[in-house]
Amino acid sequence: MTLALSVLVFGYLDIVTRRVALKVPPADVDDVAHEAILSAIRSAFAGESIGEFRAWLNRITLRRIADYHRKLEGKPKTVPLLSGDEEDDAGWGEVPTTDFEGVRVDAERAIETAYEGLSEAHQRIVDAYVFADRPASEVASAEGTSEDNVHQVASRFRRRVRELLEDGDS
Amino acid sequence: MADVENLFRSYVAQHRAGEDPSEQDLLSQVDGTDRDELAAMIDAYLERAPRRAWDAEAFEASGSAPFVHSVARSLEGSAGLWPTLLPRLRSRARVARKDLVAELADRLGVSGRRDKVESYYHQMEQGLLPAEGVSDSVLEALGAIVGESRDALRRAGQSLGTAGGPPGADAAVFARTATGPVPDEDVAEVAAAASSMPADEEWDDVDRLFRGG
């Protein structure tokens, strides 16, 4: 089991940690990321997860980030005076952090909304060209369309995301 | 002010090349709606990004091994999520283990048996102590120290039921028969813990607190 877990954790921890780092102060990133991975693995082993592991992990990650911010409300922001080895029994202390300039916790909804507004063909174009960084010529060929159209679809998608963010209507 | 699309493309290219781009460095180059847009785009990319292919050497270098072992102990042990949760709560509360043990012993009224409390607490963190045997008094006191409720600790300690972990007082049997997925050092630790446990008729107050339910 340990090898299987290692493969799973190695495969996803970096991605989850980076997602958490966008919205959580550095001192708490590992904590929240580990909690998300653990929750997803636990659910998978207990047969409680819905759909494939990756989709479940994505959902759990957002939930843990939201939980973090809910718990944080009203609490002073602190970071450990000492960091690193948990087994180090030297004393701990607390100092106030400088403000962490996080991003909107719900910013991803703008992407979801804009993405869901696309046709399936255009979603494939956005997936391949915008998020998988494949060349426009290759995407155009795969989708039987022109490079110009690929650029236009991507551009419309980005414009829609921006509108939603500006409106706060995402 | 940098262009959001260029920053995003640069991030994706670096990440896909196996580099270590800093999200915060990129985000610091924009503000307002640009910043929200860039963060949302990066997040959407990561949501879809392929997981890293297995690389044993890179895994060892990543420092993730202790976390994986704690997860394994949670899945295979008899104390649910305690092996992952308790060290994390202790760390979050900024309490060193020796201080936590001293405080726990004091709160339980067994200050004179601190060594024994330490041994039991260690077993809790390692997933070696059956959670159902740990009394509410211990969880109440522990929760007060690390900032978690007794009920939450109790729920976290419920077995995940994914494998035949150390079945209570039969931990030594598990230690003798466990193979494969459980690291040797864990087996040795279970055996040592089991052999150090007194028989029921020799229990003192500390044993009853941590094993009597």
Side-chain angles (χ1 to χ4, degrees), chain B residues 33-55:
Chain B
T33 303
D34 284 348
R35 182 180 167 83
D36 287 338
E37 182 186 352
L38 180 59
M41 292 295 286
I42 290 174
D43 189 59
Y45 159 71
L46 292 169
E47 186 180 354
R48 295 159 171 82
R51 70 173 170 83
R52 282 194 295 189
W54 174 245
D55 179 334

Side-chain angles (χ1 to χ4, degrees), chain B residues 3-200:
Chain B
D3 174 72
V4 171
E5 181 163 1
N6 286 336
L7 289 174
F8 173 67
R9 287 201 167 274
S10 153
Y11 177 86
V12 171
Q14 287 180 61
H15 189 259
R16 292 182 76 85
E19 294 171 22
D20 184 25
S22 164
E23 293 81 12
Q24 293 307 325
D25 282 353
L26 282 182
L27 290 173
S28 70
Q29 298 179 48
V30 285
D31 55 21
T33 303
D34 284 348
R35 182 180 167 83
D36 287 338
E37 182 186 352
L38 180 59
M41 292 295 286
I42 290 174
D43 189 59
Y45 159 71
L46 292 169
E47 186 180 354
R48 295 159 171 82
R51 70 173 170 83
R52 282 194 295 189
W54 174 245
D55 179 334
E57 280 185 23
F59 171 70
E60 288 304 323
S62 74
S64 300
F67 174 60
V68 168
H69 286 135
S70 73
V71 174
R73 281 195 292 269
S74 283
L75 295 173
E76 295 170 338
S78 56
L81 296 176
W82 285 357
T84 43
L85 179 70
L86 295 182
R88 210 170 59 232
L89 289 177
R90 182 163 59 79
S91 175
R92 187 186 297 169
R94 278 83 184 181
V95 182
R97 184 150 72 187
K98 70 175 182 186
D99 295 334
L100 181 147
V101 167
E103 175 74 15
L104 184 58
D106 286 350
R107 285 174 178 261
L108 293 171
V110 291
S111 312
R113 312 298 308 278
R114 193 173 291 178
D115 287 351
K116 197 162 189 175
V117 171
E118 181 169 23
S119 170
Y120 274 125
Y121 179 73
H122 176 70
Q123 291 173 47
M124 288 173 73
E125 281 202 353
Q126 296 297 311
L128 304 176
L129 190 66
E132 60 270 23
V134 179
S135 68
D136 283 350
S137 303
V138 170
L139 298 185
E140 190 98 47
L142 181 58
I145 298 168
V146 299
E148 192 55 272
S149 72
R150 179 195 64 192
D151 291 344
L153 291 176
R154 176 70 71 197
R155 278 195 303 275
Q158 288 170 354
S159 172
L160 302 182
T162 54
D170 293 335
V173 176
F174 169 76
R176 286 195 301 274
T177 57
T179 56
V182 182
D184 289 346
E185 61 268 30
D186 288 354
V187 174
E189 198 160 7
V190 175
S195 65
S196 70
M197 290 178 177
D200 288 0

Side-chain angles (χ1 to χ4, degrees), chain A residues 1-2 10-11 14-15 18-19 21 31 35 38 42 54 80 87 92 101 104 127 129 131 133 162, chain B residues 9 20-21 23-24 34-37 43 45-47 49 52-53 84 88 92 94 97 160 181:
Chain A
M1 180 187 286
T2 305
F10 181 73
D14 173 68
I15 289 171
R18 288 177 183 279
R19 294 191 72 192
D31 209 19
E35 205 165 310
L38 178 62
R42 181 193 189 190
R54 179 64 183 275
E87 297 307 313
W92 293 95
E101 195 184 350
R104 283 168 50 177
D127 283 337
Y129 179 63
F131 294 119
D133 201 28
R162 187 150 187 111
Chain B
R9 287 201 167 274
D20 184 25
E23 293 81 12
Q24 293 307 325
D34 284 348
R35 182 180 167 83
D36 287 338
E37 182 186 352
D43 189 59
Y45 159 71
L46 292 169
E47 186 180 354
R52 282 194 295 189
T84 43
R88 210 170 59 232
R92 187 186 297 169
R94 278 83 184 181
R97 184 150 72 187
L160 302 182

